[in-house]
Amino acid sequence: DTGVSQDPRHKITKRGQNVTFRCDPISEHNRLYWYRQTLGQGPEFLTYFQNEAQLEKSRLLSDRFSAERPKGSFSTLEIQRTEQGDSAMYLCASSFQGFQMNTEAFFGQGTRLTVV
Amino acid sequence: GEDVEQSLFLSVREGDSSVINCTYTDSSSTYLYWYKQEPGAGLQLLTYIFSNMDMKQDQRLTVLLNKKDKHLSLRIADTQTGDSAIYFCAESMNYGGSQGNLIFGKGTKLSVKP
């Protein structure tokens, strides 16, 4: 396994356009997380999934944002009608949570979004 | 509310020890973490400590936890130029012990001078 993979690595889009990012977690990891990191800040939690169920959404996740994990494996994060304030690094992480074992979160390298 | 605070910058000479400090507010956090981020790279987990421990040592890294003061520190012994990066302190949101629901500090930029 090569770790958490995110695609694309960079995205430049015009304001008002929709964008979609993909995250492939470490296989067998049942939890998947999305974070946003703006310049000079630490990552901020957006949402997470347990298998295909979205269990928590931050208030940072406006109604222009939607995340899915339809088969409990890869996930997509879509931003509709992008705004300049959406420019950030979007990080994905995965972990395993079980009855007798749980692992730390492993992060991908992120997708850097620039809205012009 | 929940918050994690760190100093923003630290500069040391190669070979010296570095100590990065962090304070947190949520006393119910199960785990506390140190992540490293190099330019253009994702977050790399360095080490973590369970909340019922006072200290954890892993090669050049020593983590100290003072639960009473809600203070966490990371000591890097024999700091090398390759240790130059941003170091993030994070606490778990304690959602059933999940290790991925995290609150991060703003990061401490460590500069190592030769």
Side-chain angles (χ1 to χ4, degrees):
Chain A
D1 200 326
T2 56
V4 178
S5 177
Q6 293 189 244
D7 183 68
R9 292 290 308 280
H10 303 274
K11 178 72 177 177
I12 300 174
T13 190
K14 290 184 179 178
R15 190 174 51 187
Q17 298 292 305
N18 299 344
V19 293
T20 300
F21 311 139
R22 177 180 169 123
C23 172
D24 287 273
I26 293 172
S27 55
E28 293 109 38
H29 277 190
N30 53 3
R31 290 204 170 181
L32 185 148
Y33 313 83
W34 285 100
Y35 284 80
R36 181 180 72 184
Q37 185 178 20
T38 53
L39 203 60
Q41 302 294 317
E44 297 170 297
F45 172 80
L46 292 178
T47 188
Y48 88 99
F49 293 83
Q50 167 93 7
N51 299 312
E52 66 275 7
Q54 189 173 16
L55 296 187
E56 180 73 18
K57 289 195 286 187
S58 161
R59 63 180 181 276
L60 295 174
L61 213 66
S62 76
D63 55 8
R64 295 185 297 106
F65 288 69
S66 61
E68 294 183 340
R69 194 183 184 199
K71 297 181 181 178
S73 56
F74 74 91
S75 174
T76 57
L77 177 68
E78 182 185 16
I79 309 174
Q80 296 182 325
R81 305 182 303 281
T82 51
E83 302 172 355
Q84 285 190 319
D86 296 331
S87 295
M89 176 78 86
Y90 290 84
L91 295 165
C92 176
S94 70
S95 71
F96 179 80
Q97 181 86 8
F99 287 112
Q100 293 182 327
M101 187 191 86
N102 59 76
T103 72
E104 63 269 27
F106 294 85
F107 281 79
Q109 292 192 299
T111 294
R112 181 168 295 284
L113 172 67
T114 303
V115 182
V116 299
Chain B
E2 298 156 329
D3 202 7
V4 177
E5 299 281 346
Q6 304 178 236
S7 53
L8 296 182
F9 301 99
L10 177 65
S11 181
V12 300
R13 292 204 175 276
E14 192 173 20
D16 288 350
S17 292
S18 306
V19 180
I20 302 172
N21 294 300
C22 167
T23 57
Y24 61 97
T25 55
D26 187 357
S27 58
S28 65
S29 294
T30 307
Y31 298 98
L32 294 139
Y33 303 83
W34 286 103
Y35 280 84
K36 177 183 180 183
Q37 188 174 42
E38 295 177 278
L43 290 164
Q44 175 195 353
L45 177 67
L46 285 179
T47 187
Y48 65 93
I49 189 167
F50 193 59
S51 58
N52 68 354
M53 297 170 65
D54 298 324
M55 186 183 87
K56 181 178 180 182
Q57 189 154 1
D58 184 1
Q59 299 181 334
R60 292 191 298 124
L61 304 178
T62 303
V63 178
L64 294 177
L65 175 61
N66 181 330
K67 281 197 74 174
K68 175 175 170 290
D69 295 337
K70 296 180 188 171
H71 182 266
L72 184 74
S73 68
L74 173 70
R75 179 177 179 268
I76 306 172
D78 187 25
T79 313
Q80 303 297 306
T81 54
D83 294 324
S84 294
I86 300 177
Y87 290 80
F88 291 96
C89 172
E91 60 175 339
S92 59
M93 293 182 194
N94 206 37
Y95 282 82
S98 172
Q99 295 203 51
N101 301 77
L102 302 171
I103 299 169
F104 285 87
K106 291 186 178 182
T108 299
K109 185 174 182 179
L110 175 64
S111 298
V112 183
K113 299 177 181 177

